[in-house]
Each structure stands twice: as C-alpha cells, then as structure tokens.
C-alpha cells in the first residue's frame, strides 16, 4: 500500500522559486528528491514524513496541500509530519530560523524592511521574534508602536521580550533613553549585544529576524559570531553610492554560514498617487546590477511610497494593511521563507543522498 502512495507522490514536482531562472521547470519529484520519508499505513491512514524546512512558507504550504490531495485521491486519510535532517544552523530542533537583515550603510530603509519582513512572516501564522541590534539607531520600537515600553525580567532573571503585532520584540531602544544619543565604544556595544542575545527569553520561535546595524564593523561581526544565522537579506537603494557599500555588506557574510538569500532594492521608484506612473528618483537598476555581480536574486523592489513612512510613524507595519505596497512586502516575506525552505530541503537531500547541496540562485 505504501508503494502505491509513493508512486502517487512521484507525480508531485519539487517547487522552484520564481526568481530561479535556471529552473523554469521542476525536474525532480518530491520522492526522488528525498523529501518523503518512510510511509506507513495504519487503519487507512497514511503517515507521511516530509522534509520541510520553512514553517508556513507559501511553497511548502502549497506542497503539503498537493500531498494531501494526492493521498486522498489514492483512497487514504493523510497524516503529515515534518522530519528534516539538514546541516544548516536551523537543524537544532530548539533553534529558530535566524534571518539577518543588513545594509552596507545607513539610511537605506533597512529597519523598515526588517520590521515588515518579520510582521509579514508572523502574519502567515509563524511564531516570530524581531531582534533590533541597531545600537545607534534603534528605530524598531517606534515603527511597531511600542517605544517607551518597560522591559521586565522573568523568575530566572531573563529578559522578557515586548510583544506587538503577533511578534516578540527586543531592542536596545528599550534599554536606553530615546532622547539621548548612545555614546558607546566598540567593546561596550559588543558586550551589550552579546548579553542581550544570551539573556532574552524568546520562548519557542520558528523565525527570528535580526535587524543588524548598518556597516561592516565590530557590531556586525559580534552578532554573526554569536547567532546561528541561516540566511541574510541585503538592503540597498539604486544609486551607486549605496551599491558601493552594499557590496561590502554582501561580502561580510562570505566567512560565515549566513549565506545571502538575496537583494532588496528599496526606494526603487516613486509611484505617483495621482497618475499611478513610476518615476525613478534615483538611478535605476542598481539592485539588479548588484544581484548579477554576486549571482543572487532580487527578492523585491520596494517603491518610494510615503505610506510606508506614515505606517512606521504610527507603529503599524504597512505589510499588515490592505494596499498595493503592503502586498509587495507580503510577497517579500513569502519569498524569503521559500528561499529558506529550499536551502534546508537541499541540505537534507545532500545529507541523505551523499550529494553536494545545490546553491540557491
């Protein structure tokens, strides 16, 4: 019976990513790709372990639905479980999927991307934490409407994250006077971020989005050395001066396991609210140029829309609203989740077939 179910599942292709130009048509089925474990049948119920690596991701959600439909069509009740054996930093059952959001310089909207990325992932149903490590410009509390919130400790003297919009939040902004500048030397920054990482009681999380400080200095290296980052998103704007720094931001991850998932081009064009036409405020195509240099996908092009800033001012991530630009952020969240799932599935396949893992495009 399990063989007939397996044969049925061989009709389901492995999902490809929309930005993977090298794989316009899936070539493997989920069984041949090693994504289906040992199938057992008990009382007309088919128990099927699947090597899924990104909870609530669009691709894996659709794939699970396809598996259920196929099993039901074969005359069995599907019972799906997740069993994945990969070597990524998320392989530990207790570890969340850590996604870093970085930029080579400040002022490119990195924190806006991080806040909306995290909120978009949470909006799909996942348990999400957002860690604001931008010591000198901790804007996340204001963007999520929780500036000035007191931070408390639990019975074990661990810091309890602030909660907002279905997420758990921690920021240096909760620990310092928001009206005073943070004048800390590098050693103080390293110590503070290290203590925060180890002393925050996040509880069970599926994803942790980390808003890294801009640049490529001590703070960034400290966090990458401390955290099991699975992937990173590099934010840039289209003009050359931003791209010069973004290149350094991409190379920052070369010596770490946190491979770059892709590029987000922020402020890509101004959308006229009256005529609906796009007007390129900066030089066009910068994100594509950077992505081509490093063989990375452009995950999203975020327009220069005043509504994004207005949403941040009132503490309501625009991804949670009903607007065209909110949908762009929602798609970004789904795409990042799909890339994470692809990387973990590829790692699982390599671990279980003795073949090298493919590289995300």
């Amino acid at each position: 019976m399990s063989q007939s179910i397996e044969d049925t599942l061989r009709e389901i292709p492995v999902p490809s990513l929309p930005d993977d130009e090298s794989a316009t048509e899936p070539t493997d089925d989920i069984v041949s790709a090693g994504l289906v474990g040992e199938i057992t049948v008990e009382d007309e119920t088919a128990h099927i372990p699947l090597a899924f690596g990104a909870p609530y991701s669009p691709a894996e959600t659709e794939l699970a639905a396809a598996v259920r439909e196929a099993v039901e069509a074969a005359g069995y009740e599907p019972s799906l479980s997740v069993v994945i054996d990969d070597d990524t930093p998320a392989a530990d059952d207790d570890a969340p999927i850590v996604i870093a959001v970085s930029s080579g310089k400040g002022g490119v909207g990195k924190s806006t991307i991080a806040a909306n990325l995290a909120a978009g992932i949470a909006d799909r149903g996942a348990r999400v934490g957002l860690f604001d490590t931008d010591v000198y410009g901790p804007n996340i509390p204001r963007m999520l409407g929780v500036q000035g919130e007191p931070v408390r400790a639990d019975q074990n003297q661990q810091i309890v994250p602030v909660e907002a919009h279905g997420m758990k939040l921690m920021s240096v902004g909760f620990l310092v006077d928001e009206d005073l500048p943070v004048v800390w030397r590098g050693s103080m920054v390293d110590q503070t971020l290290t203590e925060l990482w180890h002393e925050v009681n996040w509880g069970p999380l599926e994803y942790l989005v980390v808003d890294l400080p801009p640049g490529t200095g001590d703070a960034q290296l400290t966090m990458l050395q401390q955290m099991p980052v699975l992937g990173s998103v590099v934010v840039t704007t289209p003009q050359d001066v931003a791209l010069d720094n973004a290149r350094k931001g991409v190379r920052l991850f070369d010596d770490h396991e946190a491979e770059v998932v892709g590029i987000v081009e922020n402020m890509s064009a101004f959308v006229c609210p009256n005529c609906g036409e796009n007007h390129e405020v900066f030089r066009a195509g910068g994100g594509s140029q950077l992505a081509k240099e490093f063989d990375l996908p452009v995950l999203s092009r975020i327009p220069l829309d005043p509504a994004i800033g207005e949403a941040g001012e009132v503490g309501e991530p625009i991804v949670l609203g009903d607007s065209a630009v909110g949908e762009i952020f929602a798609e970004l969240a789904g795409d990042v989740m799909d890339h994470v799932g692809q990387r973990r599935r590829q790692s699982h396949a390599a671990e279980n077939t003795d073949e090298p893992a493919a590289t995300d495009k």
Side-chain angles (χ1 to χ4, degrees), residues 46 51-52 149 152 205 215 231 248 261 279 309 318-319 326-327 336 350 358:
F52 283 1
E149 285 285 324
R152 62 183 181 86
L205 294 179
K248 300 173 184 177
V261 173
H279 300 275
I318 198 167
V319 69
E327 181 60 30
V336 170

Side-chain angles (χ1 to χ4, degrees), residues 106-128:
V108 299
K110 171 183 55 62
S111 293
T112 297
I113 301 300
N116 281 279
L117 173 61
I121 295 174
D123 193 47
R124 293 191 60 86
R127 295 172 296 185
V128 179

Side-chain angles (χ1 to χ4, degrees), residues 16-190:
S16 60
L17 301 178
D19 49 45
D20 187 355
E21 298 178 356
S22 66
T24 55
E25 293 292 335
T27 56
D28 291 332
D29 63 85
I30 60 174
V31 176
S32 300
L35 304 186
V36 180
E38 183 177 354
I39 301 171
T40 58
V41 178
E42 182 180 1
D43 297 331
E44 302 303 314
T45 296
H47 299 275
I48 304 174
L50 298 169
F52 283 1
Y56 299 95
S57 76
E60 291 186 352
T61 299
E62 292 178 8
L63 192 54
V67 170
R68 289 191 180 94
E69 183 178 351
V71 173
E72 288 170 353
Y76 300 94
E77 179 68 25
S79 175
L80 310 185
S81 60
V82 174
V83 179
I84 186 166
D85 177 21
D86 61 320
D87 66 352
T88 71
D92 185 340
D93 290 338
D94 296 326
I97 295 165
V98 181
I99 301 167
V101 180
S102 71
S103 65
K105 66 184 293 294
V108 299
K110 171 183 55 62
S111 293
T112 297
I113 301 300
N116 281 279
L117 173 61
I121 295 174
D123 193 47
R124 293 191 60 86
R127 295 172 296 185
V128 179
L130 176 55
F131 188 14
D132 177 11
T133 67
D134 194 343
V135 174
Y136 300 110
N139 298 316
I140 293 296
R142 178 176 294 279
M143 289 181 175
L144 298 178
V146 287
Q147 70 270 30
E149 285 285 324
V151 175
R152 62 183 181 86
D154 63 15
Q155 65 272 21
N156 297 318
Q157 298 305 304
Q158 284 194 301
I159 299 172
V160 178
V162 173
E163 297 192 24
H165 305 291
M167 299 178 288
K168 295 184 177 181
L169 316 173
M170 181 46 57
S171 170
V172 174
F174 293 135
L175 308 178
V176 298
D177 191 322
E178 62 183 51
D179 295 325
L180 297 177
V182 176
V183 186
W184 292 348
R185 293 189 181 276
S187 59
M188 182 64 175
V189 172
D190 292 349

Side-chain angles (χ1 to χ4, degrees), residues 301-327:
R301 292 180 174 86
I302 309 296
L304 184 60
D305 190 329
I308 299 174
E310 293 168 4
E313 287 295 319
V314 299
E316 295 286 341
I318 198 167
V319 69
L320 302 180
D322 184 15
S323 68
V325 71
E327 181 60 30

Side-chain angles (χ1 to χ4, degrees), residues 98 100 131 133 135-136 185-198 210 212-213 215-229 252-253 256:
V98 181
F131 188 14
T133 67
V135 174
Y136 300 110
R185 293 189 181 276
S187 59
M188 182 64 175
V189 172
D190 292 349
Q191 179 182 342
T192 300
L193 293 180
T194 299
E195 290 178 354
L196 276 179
W197 170 244
H198 291 289
V210 182
L212 289 177
T216 55
D218 285 347
Q220 294 81 6
L221 291 175
T222 294
M223 297 316 298
L224 288 175
Q225 290 166 356
Q226 295 286 333
M227 300 183 304
V229 179
L252 170 68
F253 298 97
H256 301 273

Side-chain angles (χ1 to χ4, degrees), residues 235-250:
V235 181
T236 186
T237 50
Q239 66 270 45
D240 287 342
V241 65
L243 291 176
D244 290 342
N245 289 284
R247 289 185 182 91
K248 300 173 184 177
V250 172

